[in-house]
Structure formats: structure tokens, C-alpha cells
């Protein structure tokens, strides 16, 4: 695990996404590298933040197993959400005749989530700072710039692609949140409470 790479890649996607996307487009790294060096470490960071926030700040009357389940819930939420979103983005690309490469779709989704990962790390640790998740909307700009570099759609297809992507990702993450929250509560109260 290269923490230096993770730090610099995250920083450049937040500070200068156009340059970061140019680097990603030129370097042509495999999905295993993107997953192992960027996506998984940030997902684990947010999960640890959810564990610590749940353990120390949210409800200290619950057993510690609730915090473990909160961390697992957060991990599955992000992991499944990013993969499902990448599949949907690939299908949107295919429907609009902009290719059908899953690697490109995965890179677009995973890297554009950098601002969301950072805001979730803070808001999962300190629930009172939930409003900071609004900063994650910057991920839309990161996605837009990445779409222009990685897919290079014609002008008339840019807006429909971003709208279709945002709507589908909102639906995916909303459904995952409902399903995983119900599952976590059911498991905790059926087994550990």
C-alpha cells in the first residue's frame, strides 16, 4: 500500500481534477491498481471513521458490536455502491455510443468520489458535522472533467450523460442505504442486543 500515492492522487483530484484526469488517462493502469491503491484504502478509511464515530460519539449505551456493524454497513455501502454505479455508467456510455469499457467507467466513478470520501470521513466520525457532506457535490465537477478527458463525448451528449449518471447513482446509494440499514439493525437486535 503506497500511502504517498494515495495522498497525492486524492489531493490532485480535489485541487486540480483536469490535470489529475490527464495523468490517469495517460498512465493506463489496470482496475486492480485503482481498486487497491485508491478505492479500497479510502473505503476502509471511511469505515474506520464510522466505527470510531459510532463507538465514541453517537450512542455509547449500545454494545460495541453495533459500532462494528456500522463500519461493515459503511464499507458495503461504498463498495457495492461504487461497483453498481460503475456498471450503470458503463451502460449509459454504451447507450450513448461512447464505448463500453468497464475500466473507464470504474475509474470515472471511483476517482470522482474523492471529495465524497473525504467529507464522509469527517461526517461519519462527527455526526454533528453532517452538513460537510455538501462538499461532496464537488465530485460532480470531478466527474464532469473526467468524462471530458476519458470519454470525450460530443457536446450534445455531455449533459444527458451527467444527468443520467447522477440520477442512477442517487437511486443506487439510496436503495443501498435503506437495505443495509435495515439489515444492520435486524442483525444487531436479533443477535447482539
Amino acid at each position: 500500500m503506497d500511502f504517498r500515492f494515495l495522498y497525492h492522487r486524492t489531493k490532485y483530484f480535489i485541487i486540480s481534477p483536469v490535470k489529475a484526469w490527464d495523468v490517469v488517462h495517460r498512465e493506463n493502469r489496470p482496475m486492480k491498481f485503482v481498486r487497491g491503491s485508491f478505492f479500497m484504502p479510502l473505503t476502509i478509511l471511511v469505515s474506520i471513521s464510522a466505527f470510531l464515530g459510532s463507538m465514541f460519539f453517537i450512542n455509547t449505551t449500545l454494545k460495541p458490536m453495533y459500532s462494528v456493524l456500522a463500519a461493515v454497513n459503511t464499507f458495503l455501502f461504498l463498495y457495492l455502491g461504487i461497483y453498481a454505479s460503475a456498471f450503470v455508467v458503463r451502460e449509459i456510455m454504451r447507450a450513448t455510443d461512447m464505448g463500453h469499457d468497464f475500466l473507464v467507467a470504474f475509474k470515472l466513478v471511483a476517482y470522482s468520489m474523492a471529495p465524497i470520501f473525504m467529507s464522509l470521513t469527517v461526517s461519519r466520525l462527527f455526526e454533528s458535522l453532517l452538513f460537510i457532506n455538501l462538499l461532496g457535490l464537488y465530485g460532480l465537477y470531478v466527474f464532469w472533467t473526467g468524462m471530458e478527458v476519458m470519454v470525450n463525448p460530443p457536446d450534445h451528449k455531455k449533459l444527458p450523460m451527467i444527468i443520467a449518471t447522477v440520477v442512477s447513482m442517487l437511486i443506487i446509494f439510496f436503495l443501498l442505504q435503506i437495505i443495509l440499514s435495515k439489515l444492520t439493525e435486524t442483525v444487531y437486535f436479533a443477535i447482539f442486543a
Side-chain angles (χ1 to χ4, degrees):
M1 176 64 221
D2 187 1
F3 290 107
R4 205 164 167 217
F5 171 82
L6 177 65
Y7 168 75
H8 288 295
R9 181 61 50 104
T10 306
K11 180 179 84 171
Y12 288 124
F13 267 107
I14 291 172
I15 293 172
S16 179
V18 175
K19 290 180 183 176
W21 281 116
D22 285 336
V23 170
V24 168
H25 188 63
R26 282 193 317 265
E27 70 187 2
N28 198 19
R29 302 221 184 192
M31 192 163 98
K32 181 180 176 183
F33 180 82
V34 176
R35 184 180 55 237
S37 297
F38 185 80
F39 165 61
M40 286 299 287
L42 289 177
T43 303
I44 291 170
L45 176 68
V46 175
S47 300
I48 291 170
S49 178
F51 171 77
L52 294 174
S54 176
M55 177 74 90
F56 297 114
F57 302 115
I58 293 178
N59 192 349
T60 56
T61 60
L62 296 174
K63 294 180 180 177
M65 194 59 193
Y66 183 81
S67 299
V68 172
L69 289 174
V72 170
N73 180 353
T74 300
F75 180 83
L76 289 174
F77 172 72
L78 292 172
Y79 189 84
L80 296 174
I82 299 247
Y83 271 99
S85 297
F87 279 113
V88 169
V89 168
R90 182 188 67 184
E91 293 306 314
I92 292 169
M93 288 168 45
R94 180 178 297 179
T96 55
D97 294 328
M98 290 187 275
H100 58 277
D101 189 2
F102 182 74
L103 176 61
V104 171
F106 184 78
K107 286 179 180 180
L108 277 171
V109 172
Y111 285 133
S112 66
M113 293 284 285
I116 297 166
F117 282 128
M118 294 298 100
S119 63
L120 280 176
T121 301
V122 174
S123 69
R124 294 290 169 130
L125 184 59
F126 305 108
E127 193 176 81
S128 61
L129 297 177
L130 193 60
F131 65 90
I132 203 166
N133 287 337
L134 290 174
L135 296 175
L137 291 175
Y138 181 67
L140 291 174
Y141 174 72
V142 176
F143 184 86
W144 180 274
T145 58
M147 179 183 62
E148 289 180 337
V149 173
M150 301 293 284
V151 182
N152 196 16
D155 288 338
H156 69 281
K157 291 185 180 182
K158 288 180 185 178
L159 193 59
M161 183 175 174
I162 195 91
I163 291 171
T165 301
V166 168
V167 169
S168 60
M169 286 178 74
L170 286 174
I171 292 170
I172 288 168
F173 282 105
F174 179 73
L175 290 175
L176 277 173
Q177 182 66 37
I178 290 172
I179 292 167
L180 291 173
S181 294
K182 293 285 185 193
L183 184 63
T184 301
E185 289 176 13
T186 304
V187 168
Y188 177 77
F189 289 111
I191 299 173
F192 302 106

